């Protein structure tokens, strides 16, 4: 019997608007993939991202273009040959991992030789707003171990200072989402040090990365939009201290694992991130999280309703999904 692949658009309404430097969203538009093989079903999810010129229709069309090979039995290695990195390949790759787990009776971590998934501390995001509103949001999060503060180039220090005033204890990641210049980075970095910021994520537009070579950073820098696959890492290691591995960028868990190993060889610190998504996106990312110094997997906490039996976040600790949910 041939496999059957299905892919649909599944929107999730958010509890509140999610703002970053390049826009605002009130709905998370995900792509849900199922691969059925006899009585076994593998599931995967991805989130098309406009930053990479992805659309819902475009990702669905990409998935449909691979349908024939997937239904004929293509494995994850073949998938790397027929699809480029991105959201479409991620959803299929994760569905194949899940299907293999169902068919073999071995969990994903057992198959890669790792221990069972453990809970991790995840960043909880304070989205971009006026400093007073960001402080009000952070007040509710003052006891979590790690905060991620979304900023732009308008008044980032005021925003971070407002959050730090009400949340003196958490570690902090600041994420400008490519909105700063090298001059602004130089101007603001000492103030970020004074505010005890632990990590600065993708301050410059990815196309301006070369400006970071030779720059004397006072605070560790993490590449996000600049780092997609393992081939990017040798160059990134000259400019950044950490790389943020996201499965929607790498095109699935298969290449995320390869990127993790390559980053460790290059001496780059590890971070794992996500889009605003359901637990079906977070479950495979939890595998990568086991090896990361910084974890940012709070996507499902923004949803009005997550999938049943998914991950559970409690005061900044993320617990893996229930057995049988994925992988």
């Amino acid at each position: 019997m041939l496999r059957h692949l299905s892919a649909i658009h599944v929107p999730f309404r958010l509890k509140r608007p999610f703002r970053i430097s390049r826009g605002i969203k009130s709905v998370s538009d995900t792509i849900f993939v199922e691969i059925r093989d006899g009585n076994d079903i593998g599931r995967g999810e991805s989130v098309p991202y406009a930053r990479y010129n992805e659309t819902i229709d475009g990702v669905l069309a990409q998935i449909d273009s691979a349908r024939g090979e997937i239904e004929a039995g293509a494995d994850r290695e073949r998938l790397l040959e027929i699809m480029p990195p991105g959201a479409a390949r991620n959803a299929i790759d994760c569905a194949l991992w899940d299907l293999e787990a169902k068919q073999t009776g071995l969990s994903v971590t057992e198959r890669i030789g790792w221990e069972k998934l453990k809970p991790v501390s995840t960043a909880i995001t304070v989205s971009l707003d006026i400093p007073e509103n960001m402080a009000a949001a952070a007040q509710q999060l003052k006891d979590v171990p790690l905060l991620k503060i979304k900023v732009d180039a308008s008044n980032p220090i005021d925003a971070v200072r407002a959050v730090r005033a009400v949340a003196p204890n958490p570690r902090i990641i600041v994420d400008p989402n490519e909105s700063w210049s090298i001059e602004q980075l130089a101007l603001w970095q000492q103030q970020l040090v004074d505010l005890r910021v632990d990590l600065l994520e993708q301050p410059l537009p990815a196309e301006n990365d070369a400006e970071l070579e030779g720059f004397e950073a006072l605070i560790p820098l993490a590449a996000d939009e600049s780092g997609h696959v393992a081939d990017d890492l040798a160059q990134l290691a000259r400019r950044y201290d950490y790389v943020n591995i996201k499965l929607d960028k790498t095109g699935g868990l298969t290449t995320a694992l390869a990127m993790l190993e390559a980053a460790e060889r290059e001496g780059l610190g590890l971070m794992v991130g996500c889009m605003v998504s359901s637990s079906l996106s977070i479950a495979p990312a939890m595998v990568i999280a086991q090896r990361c110094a910084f974890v940012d997997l709070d996507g499902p906490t923004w949803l009005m309703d997550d999938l049943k039996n998914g991950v559970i976040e409690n005061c900044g600790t993320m617990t893996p999904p229930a057995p049988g949910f994925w992988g």
Side-chain angles (χ1 to χ4, degrees):
M1 178 188 295
L2 288 177
R3 293 172 175 169
H4 175 72
L5 182 151
S6 64
I8 59 172
H9 166 218
V10 180
F12 290 89
R13 292 194 60 79
L14 306 191
K15 297 173 183 174
R16 56 196 178 280
F18 184 84
R19 296 181 182 88
I20 66 171
S21 63
R22 64 173 70 96
I24 181 172
K25 65 164 60 182
S26 57
V27 174
S28 174
D29 290 299
T30 74
I31 302 297
F32 184 93
V33 164
E34 280 191 355
I35 302 174
R36 183 184 295 271
D37 191 347
N39 293 323
D40 298 311
I41 300 174
R43 305 189 304 162
E45 179 185 273
S46 65
V47 181
Y49 197 27
R51 167 64 178 81
Y52 306 124
N53 300 312
E54 293 178 331
T55 64
I56 296 164
D57 289 342
V59 169
L60 287 171
Q62 270 190 288
I63 292 170
D64 195 55
S65 72
R67 178 183 305 278
E69 291 225 35
I70 299 302
E71 292 187 336
D75 61 11
R76 289 182 289 103
E77 293 306 313
R78 176 60 181 157
L79 183 65
L80 303 185
E81 299 172 358
I82 63 176
M83 296 188 77
R89 194 175 79 189
N90 178 32
I92 296 176
D93 179 78
C94 291
L96 287 172
W97 276 101
D98 190 33
L99 180 64
E100 291 165 23
K102 302 278 177 49
Q103 292 175 325
T104 63
L106 297 173
S107 70
V108 168
T109 51
E110 286 174 320
R111 287 170 46 237
I112 63 177
W114 291 10
E115 295 181 2
K116 184 178 178 181
L117 292 182
K118 298 184 173 102
V120 294
S121 294
T122 181
I124 305 296
T125 303
V126 178
S127 76
L128 179 62
D129 207 325
I130 62 172
E132 293 80 3
N133 291 346
M134 294 176 73
Q139 176 69 44
Q140 310 303 313
L141 304 170
K142 61 185 177 62
D143 295 324
V144 305
L146 179 62
L147 287 174
K148 182 170 181 175
I149 306 174
K150 294 286 190 178
V151 299
D152 58 16
S154 59
N155 57 350
I157 300 303
D158 287 348
V160 178
R161 185 176 290 118
V163 170
R164 181 52 95 192
V166 299
N169 296 323
R171 294 189 302 158
I172 284 180
I173 303 168
V174 170
D175 185 6
N177 285 107
E178 302 184 278
S179 63
W180 293 4
S181 67
I182 191 72
E183 293 79 14
Q184 289 168 326
L185 173 58
L187 177 66
W188 290 326
Q189 63 171 348
Q190 181 59 58
Q191 294 174 83
L192 296 177
V193 171
D194 295 342
L195 289 164
R196 294 181 290 116
V197 171
D198 294 83
L199 190 68
L200 181 62
E201 185 179 350
Q202 196 70 44
L204 309 188
E207 61 268 22
N208 296 348
D209 265 1
E211 298 178 18
L212 292 172
E213 292 197 26
F215 179 79
E216 294 188 13
L218 302 180
I219 189 167
L221 302 179
D224 180 4
E225 287 86 351
S226 295
H228 291 245
V229 293
D231 289 347
D232 299 332
L233 295 175
Q235 181 169 265
L236 289 181
R238 300 195 301 269
R239 304 167 177 177
Y240 291 94
D241 306 288
Y242 287 80
V243 62
N244 186 352
I245 300 173
K246 289 181 179 174
L247 274 64
D248 278 313
K249 292 188 303 180
T250 67
L253 179 59
T254 301
T255 38
L257 287 165
M259 191 170 183
L260 182 154
E261 300 288 350
E264 290 183 333
R265 289 194 299 271
E266 292 289 345
L268 280 163
L270 297 175
M271 176 179 180
V272 63
C274 68
M275 308 302 185
V276 179
S277 61
S278 86
S279 284
L280 190 54
S281 286
I282 303 305
M286 284 285 287
V287 177
I288 301 298
Q290 305 299 302
R291 297 264 285 270
C292 291
F294 291 94
V295 174
D296 177 26
L297 297 180
D298 69 333
T301 69
W302 288 82
L303 306 184
M304 292 276 292
D305 296 293
D306 190 14
L307 299 178
K308 186 178 180 183
N309 295 323
V311 296
I312 297 172
E313 182 274 323
N314 182 30
C315 201
T317 295
M318 184 74 76
T319 301
F325 179 83
W326 181 90

